[in-house]
């Protein structure tokens, strides 16, 4: 049953009917008890009244009731007066022929003429008579049944009306939910405005808040995609325009040196364009990658040497790798760690001054590693900005794209690491520190090689 309205209807209607039936049963039992008490009291009062009249004059026995006489509520009571010698002194019309009286005073249930009677007897020794007043138990039960039937019949007639009212009430109560659904359905795919929940019931407000949160996330994602597209188009337009210009220069140049210079600029532009495309693909892949994909034990030193060997390094720039990194084993995505190391190393090479040295070293005290270059560093106000997409800062390089540190930070977050940028204190240059929190499980001590140096904790 997929309709919430039907579900609530078929829950509420049986529950209401069950409560109604319980109330009828309660009324039946209570009414029966009260009615028994009232009828017993009436028997007792009638017996006392007849006793007060007995002996005041001649009493004659009335004719016995014949079959087919009216036994309705109007002639319910029957009265008999018996003498102690067993003679019927008097009786009411409709009283049975068999004696109702008993030896003792008080109430008793007696079977007379194959019928159950409720009898109250008064014994008067002074007058020598027994006065018995009784009524049929069947008539009492009939009275109770008629009373309950008077309650049940309207209830049965009201149940369909009650069901209709419940159905209409549920429709009225669910109207705010239908209004929200109708508002969302009527919107276009571009409309991400929040849904108004000012007049919505308290039960629906959490749903509206969740929808508005989702709309906000979708709008932020679409805005982000538009920004990426705009930045990428802008960054690609510059090297492509340079390629065309340099190609035209190379074609028109008659001087060999000029032609070679234009061709070298073409190579530089192609390299920058290739790098930009590669980084855009890496950025898109990182955004679509789950947080815990492909976790494995990775030797940092071996991976770093592989990264350094794959990247071109100008001849007078030295790369120093701390041997202690060969003993550092991390558990996480090897692909993400490769992206982090590659982009940090590319950033260091790009900003290096020729000659110079790039140092990769272990940070045993904080549990991580760092790369230090001897470039111009980053102005302090820009340290928190250079990890934004396409932010190239004041000390930009001619071939930079503004995506390297962005990719490094995103990939570091995928392996539960933090990336911190700071200017070196011992000399001019930038230090990029990669650290893991103590609560993270990225550093695998158990799989580390035999220690020639301490592993980061």
């Amino acid at each position: 049953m997929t309709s919430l309205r039907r579900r609530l209807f078929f829950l509420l209607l049986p529950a209401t009917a069950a409560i109604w039936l319980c109330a009828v049963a309660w009324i039946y039992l209570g009414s029966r008890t009260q009615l028994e008490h009232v009828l017993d009291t009436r028997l007792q009062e009638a017996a006392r009244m007849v006793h007060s009249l007995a002996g005041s004059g001649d009493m004659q026995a009335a004719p016995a009731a014949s079959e087919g006489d009216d036994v309705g509520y109007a002639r319910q009571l029957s009265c008999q007066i018996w003498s102690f010698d067993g003679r019927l002194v008097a009786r009411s019309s409709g009283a049975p022929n068999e004696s109702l009286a008993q030896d003792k005073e008080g109430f008793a249930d007696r079977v007379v003429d194959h019928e159950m009677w409720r009898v109250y007897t008064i014994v008067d020794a002074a007058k020598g008579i027994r006065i018995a007043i009784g009524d049929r138990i069947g008539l009492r039960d009939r009275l109770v049944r008629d009373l309950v039937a008077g309650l049940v019949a309207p209830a049965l007639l009201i149940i369909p009306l009650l069901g209709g009212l419940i159905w209409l009430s549920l429709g009225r109560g669910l109207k705010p939910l239908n209004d929200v659904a109708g508002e969302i359905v009527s919107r276009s795919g571009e409309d991400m405005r929040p849904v108004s929940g000012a007049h919505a019931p308290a039960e629906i407000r959490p749903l509206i808040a969740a929808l508005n949160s989702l709309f906000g996330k979708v709008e932020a994602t679409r805005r982000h995609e538009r920004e990426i597209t705009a930045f990428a188009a802008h960054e690609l337009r510059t090297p492509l325009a340079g390629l065309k210009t340099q190609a035209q220069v190379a074609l028109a140049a008659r001087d060999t040196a000029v032609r070679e210079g234009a061709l070298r600029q073409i190579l530089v532009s192609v390299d920058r364009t290739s790098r930009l495309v590669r980084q855009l693909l890496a950025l898109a892949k990182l955004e679509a990658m789950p947080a815990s994909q492909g976790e494995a034990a990775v030797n940092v030193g071996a991976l770093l040497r592989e990264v350094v060997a794959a990247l071109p390094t100008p001849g007078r720039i030295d790369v120093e790798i701390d041997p202690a990194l060969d003993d550092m084993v991390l558990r996480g995505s090897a692909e993400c760690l490769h992206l982090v190391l590659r982009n940090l190393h590319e950033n260091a090479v790009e900003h290096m001054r020729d000659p110079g040295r790039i140092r990769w070293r272990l940070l045993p005290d904080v549990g991580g590693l760092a790369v230090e270059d001897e470039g111009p560093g980053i102005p302090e106000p820009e340290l928190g900005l250079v990890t934004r997409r396409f932010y190239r800062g004041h000390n930009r390089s001619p071939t930079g794209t503004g995506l390297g540190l962005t990719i490094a930070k995103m990939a570091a977050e995928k392996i539960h690491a933090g990336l911190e940028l700071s200017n070196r204190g011992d000399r001019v240059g930038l230090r990029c520190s990669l650290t893991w929190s103590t609560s993270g499980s990225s550093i695998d001590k158990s799989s580390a090689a035999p220690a020639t140096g301490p592993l980061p904790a």
Side-chain angles (χ1 to χ4, degrees), residues 295-300 324-333 337 362 367-368 415-416 436-451 453-457:
E295 290 195 355
V298 183
N299 186 288
V300 177
L325 291 174
D326 293 329
D327 297 332
M328 183 179 184
V329 177
L330 298 175
R331 180 165 292 279
S333 170
L337 183 59
L362 184 70
I415 55 176
H416 313 294
W436 281 259
S437 62
T438 54
S439 59
S441 59
S442 296
I443 300 180
D444 187 359
K445 296 180 180 179
S446 62
S447 59
L455 279 176

Side-chain angles (χ1 to χ4, degrees), residues 381-382 385-394 401-403 406:
E382 295 182 353
L385 305 176
V386 292
T387 54
R388 294 182 178 178
R389 292 176 173 85
F390 300 108
Y391 187 89
R392 299 173 63 183
H394 180 74
T401 63
L403 288 176
T406 303

Side-chain angles (χ1 to χ4, degrees), residues 71-109:
V71 290
Y73 301 134
R75 300 185 60 185
Q76 182 179 8
L77 294 182
S78 296
C79 175
Q80 291 178 341
I81 302 175
W82 293 83
S83 62
F84 282 0
D85 57 3
R87 183 173 53 86
L88 179 62
V89 177
R91 68 178 178 181
S92 63
S93 176
N97 295 323
E98 188 176 342
S99 174
L100 294 172
Q102 57 180 348
D103 295 338
K104 297 180 180 179
E105 282 193 3
F107 290 101
D109 293 336

Side-chain angles (χ1 to χ4, degrees), residues 245-247 249-251 253 257-267:
T245 301
Q246 294 301 327
V249 170
L251 288 175
V258 173
R259 184 183 301 111
E260 290 180 353
L263 291 175
R264 281 194 293 271
Q265 289 299 319
I266 290 175
L267 289 176

Side-chain angles (χ1 to χ4, degrees), residues 1-32:
M1 188 178 297
T2 56
S3 170
L4 181 60
R5 189 179 186 182
R6 288 195 184 93
R7 183 188 294 270
L8 291 175
F9 176 76
F10 285 109
L11 287 175
L12 289 176
L13 186 59
T16 305
I19 292 174
W20 200 305
L21 291 176
C22 290
V24 170
W26 190 0
I27 293 172
Y28 170 77
L29 295 176
S31 300
R32 186 182 182 90

Side-chain angles (χ1 to χ4, degrees), residues 40 43 107-109 116-120 133-135 137 140:
D40 283 350
L43 281 181
F107 290 101
D109 293 336
M116 183 67 72
W117 285 72
R118 180 71 169 170
V119 179
Y120 184 76
I133 303 294
D135 57 3
I137 297 296
R140 289 191 174 194

Side-chain angles (χ1 to χ4, degrees), residues 320-380:
E320 177 184 329
I321 299 177
D322 189 348
L325 291 174
D326 293 329
D327 297 332
M328 183 179 184
V329 177
L330 298 175
R331 180 165 292 279
S333 170
E335 186 175 2
C336 290
L337 183 59
H338 184 276
L339 282 174
V340 176
L341 299 179
R342 177 189 176 100
N343 284 277
L344 291 181
H345 190 73
E346 275 187 337
N347 182 74
V349 171
E350 188 176 317
H351 292 89
M352 277 292 295
R353 291 172 178 169
D354 190 10
R357 174 175 296 177
I358 298 173
R359 294 183 59 205
W360 283 92
R361 64 188 182 89
L362 184 70
L363 300 175
D365 296 336
V366 296
L369 66 155
V371 57
E372 298 173 341
D373 62 44
E374 296 177 356
I378 299 175
E380 292 294 332

